[in-house]
Amino acid sequence: MNTNPAFATAQKLTLLIVDDEPASMRALCDTLEYEGYRTYGYTSAADALAAMRERSFDLLLADLQMPGTNGIDLMKSAQLIDPTLVAVIMTGHGALETAVAAMKAGALDYIQKPIKLATALPVLERALAVRQLRIEKKRLEENVRERTEELKIANRELEAFSYSVSHDLRAPLRAVSSFTQALLSEHVASLNEEGRRLLQNVNAGAAHMDRLITDLLRLSQLNRQELHRQPVRFSAVVGGIIENMAGELAGRDIEFVVADFPTWQVDAGLLQQVFVNLISNAIKFTRDRAKARIEIGYRMNGTTLVCFVKDNGVGFNMKYMNKLFGVFQRLHSADQFEGTGVGLSIVRRIVERHGGKVWVDGAQDQGATFYFSLPDSRTDS
């Protein structure tokens, strides 16, 4: 009984041995069979390739010089049939250029004839280890292809769901909103105070659901939306956002401090959405401040632009910071501050589409600062 520790592993592996000398081929097959390998021997390249089309082999051990062909050409033909196959070339020539030529062509190693078992076995073991790595690599690539196809299917289903949400769900929701609004405006006299309160709650709930659907649709579309980068001056974008929020700011005492940003190559519409969401958050969470202060600024980190929106609002406990950018994650109840819990997820998705990152710093009742980075896309001002 063979006591070689590699015997148990070797006997699961199959070698294709090709040598035009029948006696040498048979002796090598018998020797390696004794070492635990399954061997198949052939004296012609054509017969060996025919055998490969019938069954799988782990390693090709081929003589370099054979009538009408050579081991390198055989190896190339064999690897067209099975790209994971590993090859070791046998040569009677000890010249270095012979080994180099074989290995440049794709052989993992060479063995010089006459073959010594003590030299050959380690070479075969190394080559077979590479074979296993190739198989694993192929399996991983196939898994990636499968997952990619599954992702494509999931994206198509998401698009179908988005269509359903925007058309099938919104229609009855808007009907609810229209009917409750009609009741409130045309039949208010026939309703008691409790009836009016209930209808107002229904109307508010429908409006909130409509905003939530809008945010979810926007979030689902971000990955499919193509980026159209162009030079954008953030100071002008921020100024326009604040101006458009005049109605929302009525009666508030808010000091806005806006830095003179450099021009940066971004998707103008998407980055405007980032600033809208962050500035709206700052306005909302400074509501209880007699005098609010919101700073929109930047710093350079090498060639990376780091933007921030800082407020002196209610802040938050930093131990919950990881929740902030998740869908539907809220640190304050809807009774305290309205919102859908999607806005910061949209911010993160947009920034990541631009190759950047988002993070936050803050403290309970001491305000918050939201940061996002944009990699090197700056243009000359």
Side-chain angles (χ1 to χ4, degrees):
M1 182 177 178
N2 197 310
T3 58
N4 187 335
F7 183 86
T9 301
Q11 65 182 344
K12 301 176 184 177
L13 302 172
T14 306
L15 310 185
L16 176 62
I17 300 172
V18 187
D19 191 327
D20 62 299
E21 297 179 6
S24 297
M25 180 270 291
R26 190 70 264 158
L28 193 52
C29 285
D30 291 343
T31 301
L32 293 175
E33 285 274 357
Y34 180 77
E35 293 298 324
Y37 295 102
R38 286 197 296 265
T39 63
Y40 292 77
Y42 298 91
T43 56
S44 79
D47 290 343
L49 292 173
M52 281 199 67
R53 296 185 183 96
E54 297 287 331
R55 59 164 299 125
S56 175
F57 294 93
D58 294 298
L59 181 143
L60 169 65
L61 183 58
D63 197 5
L64 179 63
Q65 299 296 335
M66 292 181 286
T69 186
N70 60 66
I72 293 175
D73 289 341
L74 171 59
M75 172 190 66
K76 291 178 179 178
S77 298
Q79 289 178 337
L80 290 176
I81 298 172
D82 181 1
T84 66
L85 183 74
V86 290
V88 174
I89 297 298
M90 299 181 289
T91 176
H93 307 282
L96 180 61
E97 57 268 20
T98 303
V100 170
M103 296 179 76
K104 277 185 176 179
L108 287 180
D109 213 330
Y110 75 102
I111 302 172
Q112 189 172 353
K113 293 172 123 181
I115 292 174
K116 297 179 180 178
L117 196 59
T119 302
L121 288 178
V123 171
L124 297 179
E125 289 171 10
R126 286 194 301 270
L128 288 164
V130 172
R131 156 80 169 175
Q132 294 305 310
L133 290 175
R134 287 182 180 178
I135 292 172
E136 286 299 318
K137 180 174 179 289
K138 183 180 179 182
R139 185 178 295 119
L140 288 173
E141 289 171 348
E142 289 172 352
N143 287 341
V144 169
R145 281 194 293 271
E146 289 173 3
R147 297 297 179 270
T148 301
E149 186 58 33
E150 289 172 2
L151 183 59
K152 288 179 181 177
I153 294 170
N155 281 337
R156 287 195 293 268
E157 291 174 349
L158 179 60
E159 289 176 7
F161 172 74
S162 297
Y163 180 87
S164 176
V165 165
S166 60
H167 293 81
D168 300 340
L169 294 184
R170 266 186 165 164
L173 183 63
R174 285 172 176 168
V176 169
S177 182
S178 297
F179 290 140
T180 54
Q181 191 62 46
L183 280 171
L184 286 169
S185 59
E186 298 174 17
H187 303 280
V188 66
S190 62
L191 296 172
N192 60 25
E193 184 177 346
E194 178 64 9
R196 288 193 296 273
R197 186 186 70 79
L198 292 175
L199 278 176
Q200 287 167 350
N201 286 344
V202 171
N203 204 41
H208 177 77
M209 179 64 75
D210 189 63
R211 288 193 301 271
L212 181 59
I213 290 172
T214 299
D215 284 347
L216 284 174
L217 286 172
R218 186 179 294 122
L219 183 63
S220 71
Q221 291 163 359
L222 282 176
N223 281 339
R224 303 191 303 276
Q225 182 174 339
E226 186 177 351
L227 292 183
H228 298 283
R229 293 181 185 267
Q230 62 186 74
V232 177
R233 173 78 68 175
F234 291 172
S235 307
V237 172
V238 170
I241 291 169
I242 295 171
E243 185 177 342
N244 291 335
M245 290 179 170
E248 186 179 343
L249 301 177
R252 295 282 306 274
D253 184 3
I254 303 179
E255 177 190 6
F256 287 98
V257 180
V258 182
D260 184 17
F261 284 84
T263 299
W264 216 258
Q265 289 275 2
V266 295
D267 185 298
L270 292 181
L271 259 293
Q272 181 178 31
Q273 187 66 55
V274 167
F275 279 112
V276 165
N277 289 10
L278 292 180
I279 293 170
S280 296
N281 253 25
I283 291 171
K284 177 168 62 178
F285 291 111
T286 56
R287 183 185 300 157
D288 297 335
R289 298 294 188 252
K291 182 174 178 60
R293 186 178 190 276
I294 299 173
E295 181 182 356
I296 301 100
Y298 78 96
R299 68 170 186 262
M300 295 302 303
N301 184 7
T303 58
T304 297
L305 178 69
V306 178
C307 306
F308 64 85
V309 176
K310 181 178 182 180
D311 66 66
N312 64 338
V314 297
F316 62 93
N317 190 325
M318 280 291 284
K319 74 178 182 178
Y320 302 117
M321 62 178 291
N322 292 331
K323 284 188 171 185
L324 280 172
F325 295 99
V327 181
F328 304 132
Q329 297 294 324
R330 294 170 53 85
L331 301 187
H332 304 87
S333 70
D335 293 338
Q336 292 176 292
F337 298 99
E338 71 283 355
T340 61
V342 181
L344 291 177
S345 297
I346 291 173
V347 168
R348 182 179 67 178
R349 191 74 58 85
I350 291 173
V351 171
E352 288 176 349
R353 286 290 313 277
H354 283 78
K357 297 179 180 179
V358 295
W359 65 99
V360 64
D361 189 21
Q364 195 76 41
D365 204 39
Q366 295 182 35
T369 305
F370 287 86
Y371 299 89
F372 64 92
S373 65
L374 296 170
D376 188 8
S377 294
R378 188 172 51 167
T379 62
D380 294 335
S381 301

